Amino acid sequence: MAFGFGKKNKSSSEAPVPFVSEADTQDAENAGTEIADAEVAQPSADAVALPPDPADTVYERDLHGPLDADEIETTDGYVDLGALMVTPLEGLSLRLEVEENTQRVIAVTLDLNGSSLQLQAFAASRSEPLWRDIREQIGLSVGAQGGEIEILDGTFGKEVLAKVPAQSDDGSRGFRVARFIGVDGPRWFLRGVLGGAAAVDSQAALPLEDLFRGVVVVRGEVPLPPRDLLLLRLPKDAMASAPATSGPDMGSAQGGSPLERGPEITTIG
C-alpha cells in the first residue's frame, strides 16, 4: 500500500471529484480523477476480512460496518491511522490531508481503480445523530455555489449526490459531482465522499463501499464536543515526503464547499 501526503490551509473537507460534461452526464470515463502514482502492494497474510455484505439483507451498522473499536476482537491487520483503521487492499493508495497551521491530519483519502473515498470521523453524542443535519449543510453549501443535490437511498441509508456547475480546462461547461455517505455510530459519525467514477457509477463504487464498511472508528475516551474532528495520524511505518502545494480553501469540515479539486499529492513509501 502506498501513502500520500497533502497540505491544506484550514481545517476543511474536500474530495477529488470528476468533471462531467453537459453532453454526456452518464459517461463514467469522464468521471475519472487524477491520483498519485502508487506501487501495487499485496495485503499482508494476516489482512482482516471485511464485514459481511448487506446486499441481500437489511443493513445494520453494528453487523455490516463501519464498526466501533469495541466491536472487533483484534486490531491486527488494519492500517492504523489513529481515529480510523482501514483494511488493506491490493492496489489501494492512501493519502493523508494535513492542516497547514496546526500540522494535524484532518482527512484520509483512499484511491482505488481511478476512484476515491475521502474519510473523516467526528465526535458525536450518544443521543443525537449528526447525519441528517450534515446532509442539510451540504445542501446549503452546494446551493450557494449554484449547484443542486439529490437525496438517494443507498447501502447505508440516506446519501447525497451533489452537482456544482463547473468549466473544464478546455472551456466546456458541465458540473462536478460528489457522492456523500454517512453513518452515525456510538459517540461518533463517519463521513465518506466518493469521487471519480464511483460518484456516478454504482459498479465502480462497490469496492469503495466495501472499504467504507471495513473502517473501524477509534473514538477514545476523551470528552469532545459533537462535530469535533477525531484526530488522525500517519501510520507508524510510513515516512512522509515533502508536503504538496496547498489546495483551495474548502470551508467547514461538516459541509463547506466539498466540490473543488484537492491538492496535488506526493508519494510516500
Side-chain angles (χ1 to χ4, degrees):
M1 181 180 299
F3 296 94
F5 187 80
K7 182 173 66 175
K8 298 170 71 176
N9 287 325
K10 297 181 180 180
S11 178
S12 56
S13 168
E14 68 185 60
V17 292
F19 180 86
V20 182
S21 68
E22 292 176 333
D24 189 359
T25 62
Q26 299 302 317
D27 188 352
E29 291 184 358
N30 289 339
T33 59
E34 295 181 8
I35 63 174
D37 293 335
E39 296 180 0
V40 174
Q42 297 290 336
S44 61
D46 59 351
V48 294
L50 291 169
D53 191 338
D56 297 325
T57 63
V58 176
Y59 169 72
E60 298 180 49
R61 186 214 56 81
D62 57 353
L63 174 63
H64 299 117
L67 300 176
D68 184 79
D70 290 339
E71 296 169 337
I72 61 172
E73 296 181 357
T74 177
T75 61
D76 293 344
Y78 288 96
V79 179
D80 185 355
L81 302 171
L84 295 178
M85 295 190 294
V86 300
T87 52
L89 186 68
E90 181 179 345
L92 182 66
S93 177
L94 184 150
R95 294 183 281 132
L96 299 174
E97 296 174 15
V98 177
E99 185 179 47
E100 184 176 20
N101 292 338
T102 65
Q103 294 300 297
R104 65 173 181 163
V105 180
I106 59 174
V108 58
T109 299
L110 309 178
D111 292 313
L112 182 67
N113 300 329
S115 294
S116 64
L117 169 65
Q118 186 204 65
L119 298 170
Q120 286 183 304
F122 303 87
S125 69
R126 293 186 183 276
S127 58
E128 296 184 12
L130 294 180
W131 184 213
R132 181 175 179 177
D133 287 346
I134 290 176
R135 292 200 305 268
E136 292 178 356
Q137 290 177 12
I138 293 169
L140 290 172
S141 175
V142 171
Q145 300 176 66
E148 60 184 27
I149 68 166
E150 183 178 358
I151 304 297
L152 307 174
D153 289 314
T155 299
F156 308 98
K158 299 295 183 182
E159 56 185 49
V160 179
L161 184 67
K163 301 178 182 179
V164 168
Q167 182 172 306
S168 69
D169 293 339
D170 63 9
S172 61
R173 300 293 300 176
F175 47 85
R176 295 197 180 277
V177 184
R179 181 180 154 209
F180 293 78
I181 54 181
V183 168
D184 289 293
R187 299 174 58 237
W188 52 259
F189 168 73
L190 179 66
R191 196 197 71 176
V193 188
L194 292 163
V200 293
D201 184 334
S202 59
Q203 291 300 309
L206 288 177
L208 291 173
E209 288 183 354
D210 284 343
L211 285 169
F212 187 78
R213 292 192 301 106
V215 170
V216 173
V217 180
V218 184
R219 169 61 178 82
E221 299 301 325
V222 177
L224 293 170
R227 305 188 184 220
D228 265 19
L229 274 168
L230 301 183
L231 296 183
L232 302 170
R233 58 172 171 77
L234 278 170
K236 294 179 180 178
D237 57 352
M239 297 295 292
S241 62
T245 302
S246 172
D249 178 11
M250 300 305 302
S252 78
Q254 287 79 28
S257 305
L259 301 179
E260 302 286 347
R261 175 176 292 280
E264 296 303 317
I265 302 299
T266 58
T267 300
I268 297 172

